[in-house]
Amino acid sequence: MLKGWLRAYENRLAGGELGAVPVILGLLTIWIIFQSLNANFLSARNLSNLSVDIVGTGLIAVGIVFVLLIGELDLSVGSVSGLAAALFAVLNVQQGVPEWLALVMAVLCGAAVGIVQGFFFARVGVPAFVVTLAGLLAWNGLMLYILGTSGTVNLDDEGLVATLTSYYFGNVAAAYGLAALGAAVYFLTSHVDRRRRRAIGMPSRSLVEIGVRTGVLTVVAFAAAWVLNQFQGLPLALLIFLTVLASLEFVLRRTSYGRKVFALGGGIEAARRAGINIVRMRISVFMVSGTMAAVGGLMLASRVTSASQTSGSGILLMNAIAAAVIGGTSLFGGHGSTWSALLGMLVIQSIASGMALLGIQAAVQFMITGGVLLAAVVIDSLSRRSQKAHGRA
C-alpha cells in the first residue's frame, strides 16, 4: 500500500503537481544556512519573534491569495492597511471612540474599499491592475489626510490592539493543546473527505497516506509548540493568524463559495456557463482582500503601537504579493491555498531575520528575496506547462 502511495505521489510530481514541496525544501535550506552562520537563528527567542513578525503582512497576503485565485492582482492592499491603521488610531486616540468600535470601523473601512474597487473592476470593466493602482495612490492620500499634520498617532500600550501582538499564553498547555487540536482536526477532516469520495467513486487518499501526513504534521506542530514554550509561550498574534488561515481555508475547500472562486480562476466562460454570478464573485473577492488588508494593517500597527505616515508603505505590498506566490499560489489563477501565506511569509521573514542577525544591509535582503520570488514564479510556470502536457490544466 505504501509503495502504491509513493508511486502515485511520483506520478503527481511528474505531472507538475508539486504542492508545497519546493517551498518547504527552500525554507529548510534557508534555516540550515542561517543556523550554520549564526547559532542564534533557531533560538527560541528568534523563532518566537519571527512567528509574530509574520502575522501582519501574512494576513494581508491571505487576501492576496483570494485575488490571485481568480487570476487578478490587488496593488492597493498596502495603502488600505495603512488607511485602516490611521483610521483606528485617530478615532480611538484623538476622537475618544471605544477601541472595539474603532477596530470594527477600521475593518469595515477595508471591506468597503474592496467593494468599491471590485465594483469598478467587475461591473464597470476597468482592469483590476488600473483600479487597484489608482487605489494605491488614493487610499494612501486619504491616510495622510486623516493623520493630519501630526503625522504619527501613538496607541495605548495596554490597549486592545496593542495586546494583539504583545500577549503570550504562558501556560505550556496552550501551545501543546493547539498542536494536538490541529493534528486531530486534520486527521478527522481528511478521513471524512476520504469516506465521502469513496462513497461517490472518486479518487481518494489511502489511510496510510492520511496517517503519514497526520504524523508529519503532529511532529512539526509539537516541535513548534516546544520551541515557543522555551521563550514566552504561544503568542496571541500567531493563534489569531492560524485561526484565520484555517477558517478561510475551510471556506475555500468546503463551501460552495470557495468552489466558485476556484471555478472563476479556472476560466471565466466556463464559470459563467455553470451559472456562477461573475460580477458578484469578483466583488466579493476584492472585499475579502480589502478586509484582510485592514486586519493586517491593525496587526502591523499593534506591533509598533502607532500609526504613521509610513504605515502601509515601503516594501509591504511587494512582501505580501511575494509571500502568496512563494508559498505556492499560482499567478495564473485557479490554484493555491491560504496556507501559502504562512509558508511564503516564513521564507521572507526568515531571510530578513537571518540578515539582521548577520548584520547584512537590507539591499542584499531585497536581492535575495527577489531571487526567491523569481524562482517561485519559474517553478509555477514550469509546473503549469507540465500539467498542460499531461492534460491536467
Side-chain angles (χ1 to χ4, degrees):
M1 183 178 294
L2 182 59
K3 185 180 295 184
W5 174 76
L6 290 173
R7 186 179 298 110
Y9 189 70
E10 289 176 359
N11 291 335
R12 289 201 297 270
L13 289 178
E17 299 180 28
L18 303 179
V21 173
V23 65
I24 292 176
L25 292 177
L27 181 62
L28 291 176
T29 301
I30 291 171
W31 282 12
I32 291 172
I33 292 175
F34 281 125
Q35 178 64 16
S36 65
L37 296 175
N38 190 310
N40 291 323
F41 180 77
L42 292 181
S43 66
R45 174 186 290 272
N46 191 57
L47 290 180
S48 180
N49 289 334
L50 190 150
S51 72
V52 178
D53 290 337
I54 66 175
V55 174
T57 309
L59 287 168
I60 299 174
V62 174
I64 292 291
V65 168
F66 272 76
V67 177
L68 288 176
L69 284 174
I70 66 171
E72 300 296 338
L73 194 59
D74 187 349
L75 300 178
S76 69
V77 290
S79 295
V80 175
S81 70
L83 173 62
L87 180 62
F88 168 81
V90 170
L91 287 175
N92 175 238
V93 178
Q94 296 183 351
Q95 304 298 325
V97 176
E99 268 201 286
W100 69 269
L101 181 57
L103 188 150
V104 170
M105 293 178 68
V107 174
L108 290 178
C109 173
V113 166
I115 292 174
V116 170
Q117 294 183 154
F119 174 82
F120 279 101
F121 166 57
R123 177 66 71 180
V124 181
V126 182
F129 177 86
V130 177
V131 172
T132 57
L133 180 60
L136 182 153
L137 300 173
W139 308 129
N140 185 66
L142 181 57
M143 178 195 72
L144 297 177
Y145 179 80
I146 290 176
L147 287 173
T149 56
S150 63
T152 300
V153 179
N154 294 321
L155 306 180
D156 180 5
D157 292 341
E158 303 297 327
L160 172 63
V161 170
T163 305
L164 294 177
T165 55
S166 63
Y167 184 80
Y168 291 77
F169 296 94
N171 193 322
V172 296
Y176 288 128
L178 179 62
L181 177 63
V185 170
Y186 177 81
F187 177 79
L188 290 176
T189 55
S190 298
H191 184 60
V192 170
D193 183 65
R194 176 179 180 273
R195 292 183 61 181
R196 288 177 176 175
R197 285 177 170 272
R198 286 172 63 88
I200 58 178
M202 292 182 63
S204 62
R205 294 191 177 113
S206 66
L207 284 176
V208 173
E209 181 178 356
I210 293 175
V212 170
R213 286 172 173 262
T214 304
V216 172
L217 176 62
T218 302
V219 171
V220 172
F222 273 86
W226 180 83
V227 170
L228 293 174
N229 282 331
Q230 299 307 301
F231 184 53
Q232 292 180 303
L234 175 66
L236 173 60
L238 180 61
L239 176 61
I240 294 173
F241 188 30
L242 294 177
T243 301
V244 170
L245 289 176
S247 300
L248 292 182
E249 182 69 9
F250 178 85
V251 170
L252 283 177
R253 304 291 177 182
R254 308 288 177 177
T255 67
S256 60
Y257 175 81
R259 289 189 286 272
K260 290 176 182 178
V261 171
F262 280 105
L264 198 58
I268 300 296
E269 188 57 35
R272 181 179 289 108
R273 293 184 179 183
I276 296 176
N277 189 319
I278 306 298
V279 172
R280 183 181 303 171
M281 287 301 301
R282 282 176 161 175
I283 292 176
S284 70
V285 165
F286 276 89
M287 182 187 71
V288 171
S289 179
T291 302
M292 295 312 302
V295 175
L298 291 170
M299 281 293 186
L300 291 171
S302 169
R303 192 63 169 148
V304 297
T305 62
S306 68
S308 67
Q309 294 178 343
T310 60
S311 298
S313 61
I315 63 169
L316 175 61
L317 170 63
M318 293 299 101
N319 278 346
I321 296 175
V325 176
I326 291 173
T329 300
S330 175
L331 283 168
F332 303 100
H335 178 74
S337 166
T338 58
W339 297 105
S340 301
L342 173 62
L343 292 174
M345 276 311 303
L346 281 174
V347 170
I348 293 174
Q349 197 59 43
S350 293
I351 295 173
S353 177
M355 292 291 180
L357 286 174
L358 296 175
I360 299 176
Q361 58 183 332
V364 179
Q365 174 192 331
F366 296 157
M367 290 186 285
I368 294 178
T369 304
V372 173
L373 175 59
L374 177 60
V377 175
V378 169
I379 291 174
D380 181 30
S381 300
L382 294 177
S383 174
R384 183 176 177 82
R385 183 183 303 175
S386 180
Q387 290 177 22
K388 285 185 176 181
H390 288 77
R392 298 179 182 179

